[in-house]
């Protein structure tokens, strides 16, 4: 395993090798869902200035293999989240980025449920405490 330095700001880390769906590894053109979702996230981010502060980073395998199209939302000193089970399309990308915009504006990574876009509800897999910290309550 080799670690590659990336910008240490708010980021969505996309599993570039994730399955296309629960039942299929690739789409009809032979592309993985993670690669398609990464493309959709970059396109959505670049199309809307509200998302400019969120980096889209790719990494092969987040080890969330039972939860196709997984992403890790993270930022320094904030709780991170792993989400999955997305369709690798523009609607999912916008929902993830809408949540990310609220996440970036939050104090510690907690976004009130009322602000969650419909497209991320039911997609959370795990929350990850920032290095050197745990969450109270």
């Amino acid at each position: 395993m080799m670690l590659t330095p990336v910008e240490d700001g708010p980021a969505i880390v996309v599993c570039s090798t994730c399955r296309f769906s629960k039942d299929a590894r690739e789409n009809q053109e032979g592309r993985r869902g993670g690669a398609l979702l990464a493309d959709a996230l970059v396109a959505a981010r670049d199309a809307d200035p509200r998302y400019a502060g969120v980096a889209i980073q790719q990494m092969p395998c987040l080890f969330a293999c039972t939860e196709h199209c997984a992403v890790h939302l993270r930022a320094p000193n904030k709780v991170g989240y792993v989400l999955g089970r997305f369709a690798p399309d523009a609607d999912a990308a916008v929902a993830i980025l809408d949540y990310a915009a609220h996440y970036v504006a939050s104090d510690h990574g907690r976004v009130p449920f009322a602000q969650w876009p419909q497209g991320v509800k039911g997609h959370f897999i795990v929350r990850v405490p920032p290095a050197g910290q745990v969450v109270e309550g």
Side-chain angles (χ1 to χ4, degrees):
M1 174 173 57
M2 194 165 137
L3 298 175
T4 301
V6 292
E7 220 177 282
D8 191 25
I12 298 168
V13 181
V14 185
C15 175
S16 60
T17 56
C18 260
R19 300 176 63 79
F20 178 75
S21 67
K22 182 180 178 185
D23 301 317
R25 238 175 111 129
E26 301 167 338
N27 70 0
Q28 305 88 310
E29 288 81 43
R31 294 202 60 211
R32 292 284 186 104
L36 293 166
L37 184 57
D39 289 350
L41 283 161
V42 168
R45 191 235 8 235
D46 291 352
D48 192 326
R50 292 180 302 148
Y51 309 140
V54 180
I56 308 299
Q57 301 165 347
Q58 295 186 47
M59 179 178 126
C61 202
L62 289 176
F63 280 29
C65 301
T66 60
E67 316 294 339
H68 62 279
C69 291
V71 300
H72 177 206
L73 177 60
R74 66 182 182 178
N77 296 310
K78 293 188 182 201
V79 171
Y81 298 94
V82 177
L83 300 88
R85 300 180 300 276
F86 290 105
D89 60 22
D91 289 342
V94 168
I96 293 165
L97 283 160
D98 281 347
Y99 185 86
H102 291 299
Y103 171 81
V104 169
S106 71
D107 289 334
H108 303 288
R110 185 185 167 278
V111 176
F113 186 76
Q115 295 179 348
W116 290 19
Q118 187 62 39
V120 300
K121 292 177 181 175
H123 291 270
F124 286 83
I125 300 169
V126 65
R127 67 180 177 167
V128 181
Q133 302 176 60
V134 293
V135 176
E136 293 181 14

